[in-house]
């Protein structure tokens, strides 16, 4: 009976600690800040604003302390085409570890292939689903 | 004494399991994905984009696995008037279980009554408060 | 052995209760609702919409039951200049305890000093970082 009791107590402790860990990991699984930005306007001023914002966030928080992702979809997709007005800045952003993601559903709708897009663009099937996913993972959402 | 101990151990287990359950239910009370979209621009291109996004999300995730709500307020309210440029698509979206919600405060300000609005529109007193509430309930927020 | 067991049981209970408390405090640390609004467009219609939204939220929830903050950055910064088209409404909002925050990075880029801005404006170094911080603190995000 004493042994049974001891086992039960141990079990209680293990379950309790599991609960504690489960809670804390829900808050933030790692210590880096996270932000996802949306570009869905066909407007180079908005593209520049998003890129400014990304740069700003990295400068303020420290580029190694924050994950920055820009999701580009809908009429915004022109931002990532080879002839983009901000092609140079996109390269800079990528070199600074800003993840830039194009929506393949949008590309399909506009008959664009990866050959039409800037090098090193990342791809997701649906930009909006990516924005949902990132918010669920604890990313702040910014819509410039 | 042994009985007392056993009761205490049981209590500890119950409390621990309660804690675990409390934690997991905070993450997401049910397994469906959730997204709320905002339409506040008087711009049919934005209306179409929001409706495209809703459709896309349902196609990608599965219409029965995601709750999609579009909150329409401010200058966006024309999207839901009888003469809306996207009246047909609004019907389609409703049939596909996309919830479409109009802001009554906006309607009051623009002297609109429910008779001026598309059939089957849902209503909330304040669109912005609805957007706050949904975010608090764990909905992702998308502003097309 | 009996004493040891009792201590272990007590420990289990304490840890369990700690876990429970940790969980609940993560939900919402205080009972007030919170919303942060973004103004980044150089468009008086958007400025008025944001101010309408702030007023609406206070009227619906109760001004003492909700924290409302408007973060102004990028091309939106003109909203807070001395010659702003909505200067009178900004004063009203501040008197109603809406916090209005200007981005100093934007001001620097546009060669604006605090002397160019409306009285009682609050300041943050980077508007986007403020928006991230507030979302992390549980504020809903509204982008009018």
């Amino acid at each position: 009976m004493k042994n049974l009791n001891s086992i039960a107590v141990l079990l209680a402790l293990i379950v309790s600690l599991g609960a504690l860990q489960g809670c804390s990991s829900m808050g933030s699984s790692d210590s880096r800040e996270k932000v996802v930005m949306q570009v869905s306007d066909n407007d180079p001023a908005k593209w520049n604003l998003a890129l400014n914002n990304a740069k700003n966030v990295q400068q303020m928080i420290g580029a190694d302390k924050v994950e920055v992702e820009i999701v580009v979809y809908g009429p915004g997709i022109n931002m990532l085409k080879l002839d983009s007005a901000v092609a140079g800045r996109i390269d800079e952003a990528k070199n600074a570890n800003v993840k830039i993601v194009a929506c393949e559903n949008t590309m399909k709708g506009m008959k664009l292939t990866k050959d039409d897009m800037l090098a090193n663009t990342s791809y997701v099937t649906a930009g909006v689903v990516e924005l949902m996913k990132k918010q669920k993972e604890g990313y702040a959402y910014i819509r410039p």
Side-chain angles (χ1 to χ4, degrees), chain A:
Chain A
M1 178 61 185
K2 272 185 194 169
N3 281 352
L4 222 85
N5 238 1
S6 302
I7 290 167
V9 167
L10 241 130
L11 217 72
L13 272 168
I14 289 166
V15 172
S16 305
L17 290 169
L20 267 178
Q21 198 161 30
C23 279
S24 66
S25 75
M26 272 170 46
S28 57
S29 55
D30 75 82
S31 62
R32 300 179 78 194
E33 302 294 322
K34 295 167 193 160
V35 61
V36 64
M37 296 177 186
Q38 171 183 319
V39 172
S40 52
D41 290 322
N42 189 14
D43 176 358
K46 284 282 168 69
W47 306 347
N48 276 304
L49 186 57
L51 291 164
N52 291 348
N53 290 349
K55 203 172 181 175
N56 233 314
V57 163
Q58 288 191 322
Q59 284 172 341
M60 298 299 301
I61 299 178
D64 55 330
K65 293 195 183 64
V66 59
E67 287 179 46
V68 184
E69 179 169 322
I70 302 178
V71 177
V72 181
Y73 79 93
I77 204 76
N78 294 323
M79 182 192 190
L80 301 184
K81 282 170 63 181
L82 286 175
D83 61 355
S84 165
V86 296
R89 293 199 67 188
I90 297 281
D91 277 345
E92 270 176 52
K94 276 175 204 158
N95 291 336
N97 281 323
V98 174
K99 192 174 176 187
I100 298 181
V101 176
C103 171
E104 291 180 325
N105 278 342
T106 300
M107 289 168 58
K108 216 191 251 179
M110 297 174 69
K111 308 212 184 299
L112 295 168
T113 70
K114 291 185 183 179
D115 292 338
D116 300 309
M117 311 303 281
L118 291 168
N120 302 320
T121 300
S122 298
Y123 297 92
V124 291
T125 315
V128 179
V129 174
E130 175 76 1
L131 288 163
M132 291 170 61
K133 200 179 132 196
K134 289 301 169 189
Q135 287 182 66
K136 206 174 178 181
E137 289 174 10
Y139 280 63
Y141 168 89
I142 301 285
R143 202 279 194 202

